[in-house]
Amino acid sequence: MPQVRIIAKNFMDMVAALPAMKLDKLYDSSLICEAVLRSLPPLAKKYVLQMLFIDLPVSARTMEEWVLPDGSSKHKVAIDRLLQLRIFLEVIDRKRESSYRLNPIFQENLRKYLIHGGTLPREPMPSNVTVRLPTLEDLDAYAIEQWECFLLQLINSGQVERLTGFNPSMIKVFQRGLLSTRDNEPPKLTENGFQFLLMDTNAQLWYIIREYISSSEGHGVDPAELISFLLELSFHAPGKAYNMNTLADVQKSAISDLAALGLVKLQQGRKDNWFIPTKLATNLSMSLSDSSSRKEGFVVVETNFRLYAYSTSKLHCEILRLFARVEYQLPNLIVGAITKESLYNAFENGISGEQIIAFLQQNAHPRVAEKTPSVPENVTDQIRLWETDRNRVEMVASNLYDDFPSKEVFEAACDFGREIGGLLWEDTKKMCLIVRGESHQEMRDFLRRQK
Amino acid sequence: MASSVSSKLYSDDVSLVVVLLDVNPFFWAGVNANSGTNQPAAALSFSKFLSHVLPFVSSILLINPLNQVVVIAAGVKSCGYIYDSGGGSDGTSVSDLRAGFLRRLEEFVERDRQLCRDGERAAATTSSLLSGSLSLALCYIQRVFRSGILHPQPRILCLQGSPDGPDQYVAVMNAIFSAQRSVVPIDSCVVGIRHSAFLQQASHITGGIYLKPQQLDALFQYLSVVFAADLQSRSFLQLPKSAGVDFRASCFCHKKPIDRGYVCSVCLSIFCKTHKKCSTCGSDFKQASADSRSKSDSKRKTLEAS
């Protein structure tokens, strides 16, 4: 599976990047403590529980003894993460040995949570005020539709029927990094953009939210406030109505954007307005590694390079169009073929063959997913072959040496080059050789010594 | 149905924890029935015990929203489900947990007392129904395996205080073996005075952790340090090792733990005395020896005759 570089900086890194003051302020809310705790690696979660009722700092050396030797790397990751998020505070004692203790605010809040229970950010509205709330299924459908609509708009497809309520300039911000904008050319999906489309919904959502937060930071909105609001939102019950009057101004302006993403559904009553969180919102505080939101696959690839996608989604069609020739679309089926031309198109956009193969494998229809390999071998091999076709020439930065005073010096130089593994080519007749660029310094030193 | 099973989501860090709670009044009330004196059997009052266990349950739910905790109470005559975080109706917030938990627990204890009163007054049985609660837990785990899209990592945590009931030996062993078969570790935390041979064996066989905390005031700390980690994390954590396991079996006739005994050669039932007939499978033990004796008798007779 290709490494998804685009989420290398994920949401919790963003929280960690907040200044210490803001971070401590975030931890004032027990809900946020909960969300942050849930995002930690399993070992770190356990450490927090273990330290919860310990008021004195525990020395780093003692902590190292909590794990077996095999786990020391995981231990280090966990501790680093905890320090980064200021959940653990480092205390250096007189003997200059470091020890850790829990952030007192965080500790206090979690203790309260465990013993007395958490408080909801706001109470749902009584059902006699909010008549005719959508059912959970309707709400899910609404959220998915809204999200797909947003994605389609994002990748600039011609298939968009209606626009989401998003400000076009905002969409431009999101497209930065996902689409390439070469002059005089319609914007095309970049490698990152394709990776983005391959991610699961939750990860995509956080990517967008991250961009959203950093762009509103430019408009003078405190990122800490937005983050805490979003995390709060994830603790609301999906399908329940919450009064808009309970929101602060910043939150009010954010909520319409969130509605455009499908995180909440806005409804108007006779007197009050309210918002209904969807599943997308309540899944926000799940850590990115949770694959529970993974959808069922839909693609069948046959050995004759034909591709059948059982999907009604226009987005899926757009994704397939990136690397396959879509031949016809039936109400619930997209039929296409993987051809050399369609793949070359994809390669030109910076999408790698491995990414395409990974996409086909991850989204394999349950019927073919049972088989191994889920995508026929001849197809995957051919995709790889066509990709290497384009890379017949390999560029290596190198240096050419000639004008050797004697055969002996030339041969010595050749031997030395071979020894250091930098020799690429030699011609004994003309007495010249080519050495990798990175070996140039060593080669030069060697030749100087020969003189 | 078959396809839904194959497309289950396996995730390493989602746990299904079934907690078996010992609510035996004989133990918690501190009346040691064997000696008849009012010597306290529990170093910890039941309410204190709950105040350690409840935060532990909520902390498991806290660390991963997909985790599921089921609490099963084991009484003297019955056992029953007290709490299920996946039940939906109760919600997962801590205050809901507490309210629902305590209400059902009260109902359960009342019901169990009723059963005790209805049945014959068997003062000798002061043990809790471990076998029944283990079976309930295993059944629940099997049900989760077969339904739903998530495939959590299951484990059972026994919080036992009352002494082992030797009469449950066979049932407990059967539960242990079926847990072993379905790869469900049984963790045990003994809050009573004596070690529990049943739980030592259960944890040993299923690869769980057996712990008898020294200081019961710090029960939550023990629970969170030892039993909160998911199975995946356990592989690189320093966890308590068992000091030794009491492997003694109980005889089938008097349900007493024995060091040495007689084993039926057909069904491997264990007895503390010789019997004429196996009470489990009905094999006749006498027959073989009687046969040999009659043969030798006839031999002797033939010898005398010649």
Side-chain angles (χ1 to χ4, degrees):
Chain A
M1 211 179 116
Q3 190 66 40
V4 186
R5 263 162 291 160
I6 200 165
I7 53 162
K9 192 177 167 2
N10 69 20
F11 167 72
M12 278 302 155
D13 285 325
M14 201 164 87
V15 175
L18 289 173
M21 280 268 293
K22 289 239 172 84
L23 207 51
D24 285 349
K25 223 181 113 211
L26 268 189
Y27 291 150
D28 272 340
S29 152
S30 63
L31 288 176
I32 290 168
C33 296
E34 197 183 331
V36 170
L37 178 67
R38 282 177 177 177
S39 76
L40 294 171
L43 208 54
K45 289 179 189 174
K46 186 181 174 285
Y47 289 169
V48 172
L49 281 187
Q50 202 158 340
M51 296 283 284
L52 196 57
F53 288 93
I54 298 175
D55 292 315
L56 296 171
V58 173
S59 78
R61 195 170 301 159
T62 314
M63 281 195 187
E64 272 165 35
E65 283 167 12
W66 288 352
V67 287
L68 299 170
D70 300 356
S72 61
S73 64
K74 300 219 176 199
H75 172 79
K76 217 175 145 343
V77 169
I79 296 283
D80 282 352
R81 194 91 189 114
L82 288 167
L83 286 175
Q84 204 184 8
L85 284 165
R86 286 184 55 80
I87 296 174
F88 271 18
L89 303 178
E90 197 168 5
V91 185
I92 299 197
D93 62 4
R94 261 170 276 145
K95 283 183 231 149
R96 311 203 47 162
E97 279 184 27
S98 59
S99 43
Y100 306 114
R101 55 165 307 175
L102 269 187
N103 186 333
I105 307 171
F106 190 87
Q107 188 173 25
E108 180 65 32
N109 270 323
L110 266 196
R111 279 188 199 175
K112 256 194 234 154
Y113 175 85
L114 281 190
I115 297 168
H116 303 294
T119 44
L120 287 173
R122 49 184 66 81
E123 287 298 315
M125 292 167 76
S127 52
N128 53 3
V129 184
T130 58
V131 273
R132 284 199 304 125
L133 283 184
T135 61
L136 278 180
E137 287 82 41
D138 287 349
L139 206 61
D140 279 354
Y142 162 83
I144 290 168
E145 191 198 325
Q146 199 72 10
W147 180 246
E148 277 199 355
C149 182
F150 168 75
L151 284 184
L152 278 174
Q153 193 183 355
L154 194 67
I155 60 172
N156 241 350
S157 121
Q159 302 284 316
V160 192
E161 284 164 359
R162 61 189 180 89
L163 292 177
T164 49
F166 252 112
N167 193 337
S169 68
M170 206 57 141
I171 293 280
K172 281 263 153 48
V173 171
F174 294 147
Q175 284 172 344
R176 212 175 40 194
L178 298 181
L179 299 185
S180 69
T181 42
R182 269 181 237 149
D183 296 330
N184 310 326
E185 258 184 67
K188 274 186 181 156
L189 215 56
T190 60
E191 195 183 341
N192 280 349
F194 190 68
Q195 284 195 9
F196 173 78
L197 287 180
L198 297 192
M199 294 191 295
D200 65 52
T201 312
N202 215 18
Q204 287 174 337
L205 198 58
W206 272 121
Y207 175 81
I208 292 298
I209 295 279
R210 204 161 58 76
E211 293 288 312
Y212 176 74
I213 290 176
S214 53
S215 82
S216 31
E217 201 176 348
H219 302 142
V221 179
D222 185 359
E225 264 182 76
L226 269 181
I227 291 173
S228 73
F229 176 54
L230 282 164
L231 289 180
E232 243 178 62
L233 200 61
S234 67
F235 287 93
H236 288 73
K240 292 266 167 61
Y242 295 92
N243 200 323
M244 289 279 264
N245 293 336
T246 55
L247 298 178
D249 287 342
V250 181
Q251 299 172 339
K252 258 183 205 157
S253 65
I255 202 128
S256 60
D257 289 337
L258 298 182
L261 290 177
L263 287 179
V264 291
K265 187 175 169 69
L266 300 179
Q267 276 192 335
Q268 276 189 335
R270 208 168 292 154
K271 270 193 227 147
D272 300 297
N273 297 348
W274 58 80
F275 65 93
I276 309 162
T278 67
K279 225 193 219 157
L280 283 182
T282 47
N283 282 346
L284 273 179
S285 69
M286 299 243 188
S287 56
L288 289 176
S289 60
D290 286 341
S291 49
S292 53
S293 52
R294 207 170 55 189
K295 290 156 283 185
E296 208 163 65
F298 57 95
V299 183
V300 179
V301 184
E302 288 188 341
T303 48
N304 57 5
F305 292 84
R306 294 186 67 76
L307 183 145
Y308 301 90
Y310 290 88
S311 168
T312 51
S313 156
K314 290 203 178 82
L315 185 69
H316 287 155
C317 184
E318 285 306 293
I319 296 176
L320 293 177
R321 214 184 279 281
L322 291 171
F323 61 85
R325 191 182 68 212
V326 173
E327 285 170 355
Y328 30 88
Q329 267 180 277
L330 302 174
N332 68 339
L333 178 68
I334 304 160
V335 181
I338 298 174
T339 64
K340 194 174 176 183
E341 288 72 34
S342 70
L343 281 175
Y344 270 31
N345 258 335
F347 296 147
E348 233 146 71
N349 287 332
I351 301 167
S352 75
E354 283 307 322
Q355 282 178 345
I356 294 171
I357 293 169
F359 173 81
L360 293 175
Q361 282 168 345
Q362 280 164 22
N363 290 292
H365 192 276
R367 280 289 179 81
V368 288
E370 286 165 12
K371 297 179 193 157
T372 42
S374 52
V375 179
E377 248 165 0
N378 70 323
V379 177
T380 52
D381 285 350
Q382 191 62 60
I383 292 177
R384 288 194 191 102
L385 281 177
W386 277 330
E387 188 181 22
T388 45
D389 262 3
R390 298 181 67 248
N391 306 330
R392 281 188 200 159
V393 182
E394 195 186 348
M395 310 268 215
V396 180
S398 47
N399 295 69
L400 171 79
Y401 303 83
D402 57 356
D403 259 356
F404 282 93
S406 67
K407 195 124 192 161
E408 284 75 43
V409 177
F410 170 72
E411 268 161 13
C414 283
D415 289 343
F416 180 73
R418 224 171 271 131
E419 224 168 80
I420 60 171
L423 183 72
L424 288 172
W425 177 83
E426 58 178 290
D427 188 337
T428 350
K429 257 184 207 155
K430 289 184 191 153
M431 288 221 289
C432 55
L433 69 150
I434 294 177
V435 176
R436 282 178 189 279
E438 55 260 42
S439 314
H440 177 57
Q441 192 62 39
E442 281 175 81
M443 201 66 195
R444 210 167 55 179
D445 293 347
F446 173 79
L447 291 173
R448 213 165 270 158
R449 265 179 276 138
Q450 295 288 304
K451 273 174 193 168
Chain B
M1 211 49 215
S3 71
S4 77
V5 172
S6 62
S7 61
K8 264 177 181 271
L9 295 168
Y10 288 84
S11 33
D12 288 335
D13 55 349
V14 179
S15 334
L16 164 64
V17 185
V18 185
V19 181
L20 308 186
L21 209 60
D22 189 353
V23 296
N24 189 340
F26 293 110
F27 170 70
W28 290 112
V31 183
N32 199 332
N34 286 341
S35 59
T37 57
N38 268 19
Q39 175 202 350
L44 193 71
S45 71
F46 189 61
S47 62
K48 277 255 182 66
F49 172 69
L50 278 187
S51 73
H52 287 287
V53 173
L54 277 175
F56 172 70
V57 169
S58 37
S59 69
I60 288 180
L61 296 175
L62 171 72
I63 55 177
N64 192 334
L66 297 175
N67 279 356
Q68 192 183 349
V69 180
V70 177
V71 180
I72 295 173
V76 180
K77 287 273 171 193
S78 63
C79 24
Y81 295 105
I82 295 294
Y83 172 74
D84 182 356
S85 69
S89 59
D90 271 350
T92 48
S93 86
V94 174
S95 40
D96 291 351
L97 184 159
R98 187 171 292 262
F101 190 99
L102 294 180
R103 198 192 63 237
R104 299 239 202 107
L105 190 61
E106 227 163 279
E107 284 167 12
F108 171 78
V109 171
E110 186 53 41
R111 214 171 39 237
D112 194 45
R113 202 175 61 165
Q114 208 70 43
L115 281 173
C116 269
R117 206 173 284 156
D118 291 349
E120 84 275 30
R121 288 190 60 88
T125 56
T126 55
S127 57
S128 303
L129 212 51
L130 175 66
S131 57
S133 54
L134 271 178
S135 314
L136 271 185
L138 288 168
C139 289
Y140 190 93
I141 289 168
Q142 286 302 325
R143 196 169 79 202
V144 170
F145 277 177
R146 279 156 212 212
S147 61
I149 51 156
L150 270 175
H151 190 104
Q153 301 283 317
R155 60 180 195 265
I156 297 175
L157 171 61
C158 294
L159 292 166
Q160 206 194 3
S162 46
D164 290 338
D167 50 329
Q168 296 172 38
Y169 176 74
V170 178
V172 169
M173 286 318 276
N174 283 340
I176 292 172
F177 289 129
S178 83
Q180 182 192 26
R181 219 183 117 82
S182 41
V183 204
V184 179
I186 301 176
D187 295 333
S188 26
C189 181
V190 175
V191 291
I193 301 166
R194 259 172 277 149
H195 278 285
S196 158
F198 284 0
L199 289 180
Q200 278 179 340
Q201 294 189 28
S203 299
H204 179 81
I205 292 170
T206 58
I209 305 165
Y210 174 87
L211 182 76
K212 186 172 178 303
Q214 298 298 314
Q215 284 175 302
L216 287 175
D217 314 344
L219 185 62
F220 175 81
Q221 194 67 19
Y222 283 107
L223 291 176
S224 64
V225 170
V226 179
F227 300 111
D230 55 283
L231 298 180
Q232 180 75 11
S233 308
R234 281 189 190 183
S235 52
F236 37 79
L237 276 174
Q238 198 89 47
L239 291 166
K241 303 223 165 46
S242 65
V245 181
D246 185 353
F247 279 119
R248 280 188 304 167
S250 296
C251 67
F252 285 27
C253 42
H254 303 90
K255 321 287 183 196
K256 269 187 267 169
I258 50 169
D259 290 322
R260 244 178 253 178
Y262 299 87
V263 177
C264 167
S265 52
V266 179
C267 69
L268 303 180
S269 300
I270 304 159
F271 303 101
C272 57
K273 287 190 293 192
T274 45
H275 288 260
K276 287 187 180 161
K277 206 174 174 189
C278 174
S279 59
T280 313
C281 66
S283 319
D284 211 347
F285 297 147
K286 274 290 173 231
Q287 203 172 353
S289 50
D291 269 356
S292 65
R293 195 182 301 139
S294 63
K295 250 183 208 161
S296 60
D297 277 354
S298 60
K299 245 182 204 166
R300 204 179 295 146
K301 269 179 198 158
T302 48
L303 276 173
E304 278 169 2
S306 66

